[in-house]
Amino acid sequence: MKLGVVGLPNVGKSTLFNAITKAGAECANYPFCTIEPNVGVVPVPDERLYKLAALYNSKQITHTVIEFVDIAGLVKGASKGEGLGNKFLSHIREVDAIVHVVRCFSDPNVTHVDGGIDAVRDIETINLELIFADIDTVSRRLDRAKTQSKSGDRHIADEIEVLNKVLDALTRGKAVKNLGLSDDELQFVSPLYLLSAKPVIYAANIAESEIGKPYNGQVARVAEYAEADGCEVIVVCAKIEDELNSLEPGDRRTFMDELGIAESGLDRLVTASYRLLGLISYLTAGEKETRAWTVTRGTKAPGAAGKIHTDFEKGFIRAEVVDCKTLLECGSYNAAKEKGKVRSEGKDYVVNDGDVILFRFNV
C-alpha cells in the first residue's frame, strides 16, 4: 500500500510529509523491511484493536500500515523533463494512489510559483502533467502495437482499438481513471501504469489561523473540483500536523483539545487512503498479540488466511468468525460462542471489515 504525496513547490507538501514521517517513526517495532528515507510508514487508526487487546490482555498491539512516498521535483513541464520530472514520473508509477497537496492558504512570506493563490489552477497544472505523460506512454505503445498488428493477431487489433479510445480521451484532457474502462479494456491499459489512472485524494492545506473556522473560498473550490472528479477532499493544516507529531501522545491530545480537533488530519488522511484503495481489516486476537490484517474488499477466507502465512491458505479447513463489536458486547470469546455468535465459515466466505477470525488449517 503505497501512496505518493505530490504537489507544486511551496504548497506544504514537505511539511505534511515530515508529519507523516514522524508518525511513521512510532511504528519502528512493526514487521516491515528497511524503509528508504523518502518513505513514511503510518499506522491505520483502529480503536477496535485497543478494546480487543484489553479483552484478551494482549501483550502487543500491531496496526496495519500504509506507506507514503515523497514525490519530489514536480513543476510545470515535468512531463517534458523539467525540474526533476523524470524522477517524479518514475516514482509515481510505483504508487497505488496519489495524495495531491493543494495550497489553500495565503502567506506573504511563502511565495507561490505562479505568483498568487489559485487552488484549482494548481490542481490542473499537476493533472495536465500526468495526462501529458500518459499521452506519451500510450502513443509509444500504440506505435509498437500497430507494427505488431501486421501479424494479423486479433488480440493486437483489440489492443489498438482500446489504446485509440484512451488516447482520444487523454488528448481531450480526460484522466484515465474517469473513463469507466471495462475489465477487458483494462487488461491492455493496466500494464502501462498510467499516471492519470491512479485514484486521488486532495489534501487541502489551510493556515493555522483557519483551523475550526468555516472553510475559505479556496477549500470550497477544491471540494467542488474534487466532487466533479469523483475524488475525496481532506482538509489539513500541514504545519499543525507537523507540530502534533513532534509531541508525546498525552501532550498531543491536550494540544488537539485546545484547538478543538477531535481527530488529526493525518489520521483522517490515512483512513481515507485506506478506503480509497478498497481495503479492509480483519482482526486476530490472543494473549500474545492483537493485530489487524489488510485485505482487499471481497477477499475470501483462504486468501485472508494466507496473509498470516501461506500454510494457513494451503491447508485451510475453516474460519471461526465473530464480528468485533459483537465479541466486545459478549465480553469474551467463550461467551460469544455460547450465545451462538461465533460462526464456522468455509472457503467461499467473504471476509468483512472488523471480523475477528480464528483460522483452522492442516498441512
Side-chain angles (χ1 to χ4, degrees):
M1 298 179 294
K2 288 187 178 180
L3 290 98
V5 184
V6 307
L8 292 174
N10 295 338
V11 298
K13 179 178 70 71
S14 296
T15 304
L16 182 60
F17 185 78
N18 286 341
I20 291 170
T21 304
K22 287 175 185 174
E26 297 176 5
C27 307
N29 61 341
Y30 289 1
F32 50 77
C33 299
T34 301
I35 302 300
E36 294 294 331
N38 64 333
V39 177
V41 182
V42 181
V44 177
D46 196 336
E47 290 297 322
R48 297 172 300 191
L49 289 174
Y50 299 102
K51 295 175 182 178
L52 206 55
L55 188 68
Y56 280 83
N57 293 315
S58 303
K59 295 177 181 177
Q60 182 175 337
I61 295 174
T62 304
H63 292 255
T64 190
V65 296
I66 285 183
E67 291 184 13
F68 287 87
V69 183
D70 189 15
I71 307 293
L74 178 61
V75 294
K76 187 180 290 186
S79 59
K80 304 299 181 183
E82 293 293 329
L84 297 177
N86 293 332
K87 185 177 182 181
F88 158 73
L89 296 176
S90 65
H91 282 179
I92 203 169
R93 288 192 196 284
E94 299 169 3
V95 303
D96 300 302
I98 296 169
V99 176
H100 187 158
V101 183
V102 187
R103 180 172 170 176
C104 294
F105 66 90
S106 296
D107 186 339
N109 297 315
V110 182
T111 60
H112 191 287
V113 290
D114 288 325
I117 307 302
D118 187 331
V120 171
R121 178 201 59 207
D122 293 353
I123 290 173
E124 290 179 340
T125 295
I126 288 183
N127 287 350
L128 282 174
E129 291 302 325
L130 303 185
I131 287 172
F132 289 153
D134 285 349
I135 289 173
D136 182 58
T137 300
V138 173
S139 295
R140 283 188 281 111
R141 176 55 203 159
L142 189 56
D143 287 343
R144 289 196 296 272
K146 287 177 178 177
T147 300
Q148 295 168 344
S149 68
K150 296 174 182 177
S151 65
D153 187 336
R154 179 60 201 169
H155 185 76
I156 296 295
D158 290 341
E159 180 181 11
I160 290 173
E161 183 179 348
V162 173
L163 292 178
N164 275 320
K165 173 182 175 179
V166 171
L167 185 59
D168 177 66
L170 287 169
T171 54
R172 289 185 284 108
K174 196 165 185 179
V176 174
K177 63 182 172 63
N178 295 328
L179 299 186
L181 298 176
S182 67
D183 289 341
D184 287 341
E185 290 171 321
L186 285 172
Q187 69 173 315
F188 300 116
V189 176
S190 296
L192 300 178
Y193 297 98
L194 299 178
L195 307 182
S196 70
K198 308 282 185 185
V200 177
I201 290 177
Y202 292 107
N205 186 18
I206 62 174
E208 295 172 85
S209 59
E210 295 174 336
I211 293 175
K213 296 181 180 179
Y215 294 147
N216 64 36
Q218 294 293 339
V219 174
R221 294 181 67 212
V222 172
E224 183 179 354
Y225 185 97
E227 184 177 3
D229 199 30
C231 300
E232 189 170 348
V233 177
I234 302 296
V235 179
V236 299
C237 174
K239 193 171 182 180
I240 289 295
E241 296 301 320
D242 196 27
E243 291 179 25
L244 283 172
N245 284 295
S246 66
L247 300 173
E248 294 297 321
D251 294 335
R252 184 185 310 148
R253 184 67 262 172
T254 300
F255 188 27
M256 288 173 63
D257 289 341
E258 291 174 356
L259 294 170
I261 300 173
E263 185 181 18
S264 75
L266 182 55
D267 282 353
R268 287 185 286 110
L269 178 59
V270 171
T271 302
S273 301
Y274 202 67
R275 190 165 57 243
L276 179 70
L277 295 174
L279 304 174
I280 62 170
S281 292
Y282 76 86
L283 314 171
T284 56
E287 186 177 340
K288 182 179 178 181
E289 179 186 48
T290 291
R291 180 167 180 164
W293 302 87
T294 299
V295 293
T296 304
R297 190 176 297 278
T299 297
K300 293 185 178 180
K307 288 289 183 177
I308 300 176
H309 196 285
T310 54
D311 285 349
F312 283 34
E313 183 172 8
K314 291 175 183 175
F316 180 88
I317 298 174
R318 69 180 184 276
E320 295 180 7
V321 183
V322 58
D323 175 70
C324 182
K325 183 180 178 181
T326 302
L327 175 58
L328 292 170
E329 289 173 347
C330 291
S332 73
Y333 184 82
N334 287 336
K337 205 165 188 177
E338 289 172 3
K339 293 179 180 180
K341 301 297 184 180
V342 179
R343 311 183 308 277
S344 181
E345 301 286 0
K347 292 183 177 181
D348 291 330
Y349 176 69
V350 176
V351 173
N352 293 305
D353 184 64
D355 279 350
V356 180
I357 305 180
L358 175 64
F359 291 106
R360 300 295 184 183
F361 69 102
N362 183 30
V363 290

